[in-house]
Amino acid sequence: MGEADLVVAVNRTYADVARLFGARAPEVVYIGIHLDDVSVAAASTVSAIETPRAVYAGSLGVHYDVQTILQAAERLWRMNSAVQITIAGDGPLTPMVREAASRLPNLCFVGHVTPEHLTSVYRGAAVGLATYSPGSTVALPVKLYDYLAAGLPIVNSLPGEMADLIRDNDIGVQYESGDPDSLTQAILTVVGDPKRRGGAAIRARALAREFDAQQQHRRYAALLE
């Protein structure tokens, strides 16, 4: 790190880590999102959704708090809530997710999907779930940029940079990782206030422009040159 002419991090959190290992002036270039690849979800322009739906898209591994999503889905079902949950992805916990979806009418598992199909999964959703297990070292996940581009308010468990971004831009709520009651309440908080949800969706889409991949690529090229 100390001998490098250039150190690039994909977020501020990792840049701080690089400094600890001797990087003199690490630069930040975000992974970003190709905005044209993710169409705006209905939630970004329509404040009222007949059947509110929460979406999780990503890896189904032990570090992603997937079990808490399943437990929250069961609680929502027992409460007779209209909220539906859609899970898209693949990983070691796929059998667990598939089993839960087979017995919970409010849980839909679509498995691994293409980017084009994922856009359709986002369309009409009310909230995006950024669920990570306690102790996760993720700072700004790739799904953040997808959710922003799709105009989805975010329910998040990550502390630090991710939590700050969501709070400062008023685009979602925080829940306690590993706590299904906390996740259930967070989802209900977002979907239960259509006006706030609609405003958060519009702000999310606007924030996505700051992470436009073309701008990030140009910055990276300039640093290399």
Side-chain angles (χ1 to χ4, degrees):
M1 287 284 191
E3 294 176 355
D5 294 305
L6 173 66
V7 174
V8 179
V10 296
N11 53 62
R12 295 197 310 272
T13 302
Y14 294 170
D16 290 341
V17 173
R19 288 187 185 90
L20 294 176
F21 283 88
R24 293 185 296 275
E27 301 281 355
V28 175
V29 178
Y30 296 98
I31 294 172
I33 181 73
H34 291 278
L35 296 178
D36 293 340
D37 292 346
V38 182
S39 62
V40 182
S44 64
T45 54
V46 180
S47 61
I49 298 175
E50 185 175 349
T51 303
R53 183 165 53 87
V55 171
Y56 172 86
S59 299
L60 302 180
V62 295
H63 301 295
Y64 295 88
D65 212 16
V66 175
Q67 187 171 6
T68 301
I69 298 177
L70 305 182
Q71 293 170 332
E74 186 161 3
R75 281 162 170 74
L76 290 166
W77 175 248
R78 290 177 178 175
M79 295 166 57
N80 293 318
S81 170
V83 176
Q84 304 283 313
I85 295 181
T86 297
I87 295 178
D90 196 9
L93 299 184
T94 293
M96 177 190 297
V97 176
R98 185 174 286 116
E99 186 278 329
S102 70
R103 59 183 172 80
L104 293 173
N106 65 334
L107 179 63
C108 175
F109 176 52
V110 298
H112 176 75
V113 295
T114 64
E116 294 76 18
H117 185 193
L118 189 57
T119 297
S120 69
V121 171
Y122 291 147
R123 190 175 295 115
V127 59
L129 303 178
T131 53
Y132 291 82
S133 299
S136 172
T137 58
V138 172
L140 293 184
V142 174
K143 64 170 59 64
L144 163 69
Y145 308 114
D146 278 359
Y147 291 164
L148 293 179
L152 296 180
I154 300 170
V155 169
N156 169 61
S157 68
L158 291 172
E161 191 172 358
M162 178 77 160
D164 293 344
L165 185 78
I166 291 173
R167 182 193 64 245
D168 294 346
N169 292 278
D170 193 15
I171 56 172
V173 298
Q174 201 79 3
Y175 86 95
E176 187 68 30
S177 180
D179 185 340
D181 290 327
S182 177
L183 177 56
T184 300
Q185 186 55 53
I187 293 172
L188 291 174
T189 296
V190 174
V191 303
D193 188 341
K195 183 176 181 181
R196 178 183 177 185
R197 185 178 71 223
I202 292 171
R203 290 189 291 274
R205 177 64 179 177
L207 182 61
R209 300 190 188 101
E210 297 185 20
F211 298 106
D212 174 65
Q214 294 300 325
Q215 294 184 36
Q216 299 300 323
H217 294 170
R218 284 193 290 270
R219 171 168 167 70
Y220 187 50
L223 288 169
L224 293 176
E225 290 172 356

